Amino acid sequence: MSIEATVTLKTKEISGVGRDRIRLLQAVAREGSITAGAKAAGLSYKAAWDALDAMTNLFGRPLLETRTGGKAGGGAQLTPTGVKVIEAFGRLEAEMARVFRNLEPELAGSGITPINLVSGFFMKTSARNALRGVITDIKADTLSAEVAVAVSPETTIYSLLTAESVRGLGLVVGREAIVLIKAPFVMIAPGHQPPLVSARNCVRGTVRRADVSAVNAEIVLDIGGDKTLAASVTARSADDLNLSPGDPACAVFDAAHVIVAID
């Protein structure tokens, strides 16, 4: 497997500076002007300026020296800080790639790749449920697509996306993907027999735990393959369901409430 590391540098107040913005900086230096560099990077002039301003704010010093038009025309060139930023960014990415390559022998036979490992460490989402799986089917028309992701041998989760999203994410059968479902979107039905509802997803499982507070409750189902699915319901609903660990139950949710993410 070819491993490619990506670095993003940011602070609380300033949006991230990653490879795309570094490439913009390189393009401006190569082309000799912000206008030409923006065009080479596929950005508008305004978007390029916004990105360059963000980098200046992050590093605290100008990365470019600009000159206004005149007899020789306007232009831009890297400052010493700009040169150092590009060099340091390249070294960071190379060092990360080296570390990941060294991890491969240690992870051999575990079913975990370095990419899985890093995604697990650094992926941040507000969704309670984030399940990794493999795309097994895509049904699409000109506007919409249904993507099936097998998250365990027993469980496939369906997501309704736009056809443009499928193309933009590069989703194809056999590719790994992560499905994200917010717990309040998940309904729970007792028993292993799926209820007759219009929701596309009805996942069978057994109750692992039910944590009930005065107002809300979280019911967690074991859905096989060492995977769980959590639902957020009212305490009254949890009392009515009267589920205990080991009881069979189904998690029901719409395909439109499932987000698909990729590494």
Side-chain angles (χ1 to χ4, degrees):
M1 178 181 64
S2 174
I3 296 174
E4 184 177 334
T6 354
V7 177
T8 299
L9 307 173
K10 63 180 182 178
T11 67
K12 271 187 178 179
E13 297 79 18
I14 300 168
S15 60
V17 171
R19 181 179 296 173
D20 289 345
R21 288 185 172 179
I22 295 297
R23 283 178 176 166
L24 168 64
L25 191 60
Q26 292 171 317
V28 171
R30 183 176 62 251
E31 301 294 332
S33 78
I34 294 173
T35 301
K39 185 176 179 181
L43 297 173
S44 68
Y45 183 75
K46 181 183 183 307
W49 260 118
D50 289 345
L52 293 168
D53 283 344
M55 284 190 278
T56 298
N57 291 337
L58 180 65
F59 295 107
R61 294 183 181 180
L63 307 184
L64 289 170
E65 289 178 356
T66 58
R67 61 178 183 274
T68 56
K71 194 170 183 181
Q77 64 182 22
L78 291 174
T79 64
T81 300
V83 173
K84 288 179 181 178
V85 164
I86 290 173
E87 290 176 350
F89 193 89
R91 287 200 300 272
L92 274 173
E93 288 198 323
E95 185 62 21
M96 283 182 66
R98 183 189 67 77
V99 170
F100 295 158
R101 282 194 297 270
N102 290 340
L103 279 174
E104 284 188 277
E106 298 179 29
L107 296 174
S110 68
I112 301 173
T113 68
I115 295 300
N116 296 155
L117 187 67
V118 172
S119 174
F121 283 151
F122 296 114
M123 182 178 178
K124 293 183 179 179
T125 172
S126 64
R128 175 67 173 82
N129 300 292
L131 305 169
R132 180 178 292 275
V134 176
I135 297 173
T136 56
D137 189 32
I138 299 176
K139 291 183 173 66
D141 56 28
T142 55
L143 295 177
S144 303
E146 182 186 78
V147 178
V149 180
V151 299
S152 76
E154 301 87 0
T155 303
T156 295
I157 291 176
Y158 300 89
S159 176
L160 185 63
L161 308 174
T162 64
E164 183 180 353
S165 293
V166 171
R167 290 190 295 271
L169 291 171
L171 302 183
V172 293
V173 171
R175 179 169 187 171
E176 284 195 353
I178 300 162
V179 291
L180 307 171
I181 314 108
K182 298 191 79 168
F185 291 152
V186 181
M187 296 176 286
I188 296 294
H192 266 159
Q193 184 60 37
L196 293 175
V197 293
S198 62
R200 182 68 175 94
N201 293 286
C202 187
V203 178
R204 295 179 177 90
T206 56
V207 177
R208 177 174 286 189
R209 67 176 187 273
D211 301 323
V212 185
S213 67
V215 178
N216 296 316
E218 182 179 78
I219 298 174
V220 180
L221 300 187
D222 184 334
I223 60 173
D226 296 321
K227 302 286 179 69
T228 60
L229 191 62
S232 178
V233 302
T234 64
R236 176 66 181 271
S237 294
D239 287 341
D240 290 343
L241 290 170
N242 193 28
L243 292 171
S244 301
D247 287 348
C250 293
V252 180
F253 49 97
D254 289 332
H257 287 157
V258 179
I259 295 172
V260 175
I262 58 171
D263 292 318

